[in-house]
Amino acid sequence: MVKEYIKQKKPRLWAMVTALVVATAAMFMLGKCSHAGGSPFSGDLPPKSGGDTLDVAIEISPLSYSLAADTVSGLDYDMLREMAAAHGRAVKFHPFAPMEYALRGVDEGVFDIVVSSLPSTSSLKEKLLLTQRVYLDREVLVQRKDAPGFVAEAHGLAGDSVWIAAGSPFVARIRNLSAEIGDTIYIVTDHPYTSEHLAMLVVAGEIPRAVVNAGLARRMAAADSVLDASTAVSFTQFQSWGLRRENQALCDTLNAWLRDFRATPRYNVLLHKYNLDE
């Protein structure tokens, strides 16, 4: 029902892409990202840390891992760092942009955990071992409030196109939505952008709409009033961390950490900080 749709890029769009990728790469050049011997931009994987160190591939986004000046922030980053410290485990974070890079690293045993917008769905569970919920979220459309053809409800996507980060599990949701409404939704994934980059391109008017997680959308809409994030394309879902399917022991450990952490006041403080109050 859904075919992959390839749209010719505008010169201005490529210029913006270059600027975004350069800005992201600058994080690595500053030494804030731990890609010793590997880079998500070259496709090389870093060496495994070894010992008890947890190698965590974490998506570069305001919700998971963000660098401003000398400060790193992000709900997933804060939670993993604090839980690991409480249990005496070292963590090495490997920020990434393309999802394929992180999934390959997990599959090859380089990364122990992949942290991204990972809804706990049956299709994703066929690829990864998922932890218990880290927080609740859902997928939404981001589009300009003044955009022609504004989509107010999910079924309004019939016959239209949406942009999604390559390798994102959100693709499966839009395919299911297409089947539900009985019409084609064209999915654009032939690009190097993260969900954050796609939202920025929507604000710039370079693409009409994108599917991202609501937590990210709310944070970006708060920073730019032209961006709308009110159209949901999924129900509320558990957001999880992913591991190799063979790594059940580590998954059990993380689940125990998560159960304990969710029972603390600190968990609610972090949810409020990142606009994800449950």
Side-chain angles (χ1 to χ4, degrees):
M1 181 63 67
V2 179
K3 72 176 182 178
E4 304 303 334
Y5 175 72
I6 301 177
K7 186 177 179 67
Q8 184 176 4
K9 313 291 192 301
K10 299 177 183 178
R12 183 183 168 200
L13 183 59
W14 280 112
M16 180 170 284
V17 172
T18 301
L20 291 171
V21 172
V22 168
T24 305
M27 296 176 65
F28 296 85
M29 297 298 290
L30 287 171
K32 295 297 182 181
C33 303
S34 36
H35 279 281
S39 165
F41 302 101
S42 67
D44 297 332
L45 291 170
K48 188 82 175 72
S49 295
D52 289 334
T53 299
L54 294 174
D55 285 292
V56 179
I58 187 165
E59 183 180 26
I60 300 169
S61 80
L63 196 57
S64 294
Y65 183 102
S66 180
L67 174 65
D70 291 328
T71 302
V72 178
S73 63
L75 175 62
D76 297 290
Y77 170 79
D78 288 342
M79 286 184 62
L80 260 172
R81 182 174 53 85
E82 292 179 24
M83 289 190 301
H87 291 87
R89 291 291 296 272
V91 179
K92 188 172 185 179
F93 290 97
H94 303 266
F96 70 86
M99 177 62 75
E100 290 91 341
Y101 174 86
L103 294 179
R104 181 163 62 90
V106 171
D107 186 59
E108 295 184 15
V110 174
F111 301 138
D112 299 300
I113 308 167
V114 59
V115 174
S116 180
S117 300
L118 298 178
S120 184
T121 61
S122 56
S123 60
L124 191 58
K125 288 177 181 177
E126 294 176 359
K127 303 176 182 178
L128 293 171
L129 185 62
L130 300 180
T131 66
Q132 295 181 354
R133 69 176 173 92
V134 180
Y135 56 89
L136 299 175
D137 208 347
R138 61 181 180 177
E139 289 108 68
V140 300
L141 283 180
V142 287
Q143 51 193 329
R144 288 180 62 95
K145 294 176 180 177
D146 58 356
F150 182 90
V151 178
E153 297 181 355
H155 62 74
L157 286 172
D160 221 326
S161 306
V162 295
W163 276 249
I164 303 177
S168 170
F170 297 170
V171 170
R173 170 55 197 151
I174 298 304
R175 287 179 176 149
N176 289 338
L177 176 61
S178 178
E180 291 166 12
I181 65 178
D183 206 338
T184 302
I185 302 173
Y186 299 102
I187 302 174
V188 185
T189 58
D190 61 321
H191 54 72
Y193 321 139
T194 66
S195 292
E196 180 185 9
H197 294 166
L198 289 174
M200 294 169 66
L201 292 173
V202 170
V203 171
E206 293 290 351
I207 61 175
R209 65 192 66 84
V211 175
V212 304
N213 63 304
L216 169 63
R218 282 195 296 269
R219 289 181 68 82
M220 298 195 70
D224 199 315
S225 61
V226 74
L227 193 67
D228 180 89
S230 63
T231 303
V233 295
S234 78
F235 296 110
T236 299
Q237 300 168 317
F238 289 174
Q239 301 295 308
S240 305
W241 297 329
L243 303 87
R244 290 184 71 186
R245 293 181 60 82
E246 299 81 5
N247 208 348
Q248 186 63 56
L250 178 57
C251 189
D252 292 342
T253 296
L254 291 174
N255 285 337
W257 290 4
L258 284 167
R259 282 194 298 270
D260 291 343
F261 194 80
R262 288 200 308 265
T264 67
R266 175 62 176 164
Y267 177 67
N268 292 322
V269 168
L270 288 176
L271 290 182
H272 181 72
K273 176 181 178 180
Y274 294 101
N275 301 313
L276 285 169
D277 303 73
E278 297 183 0

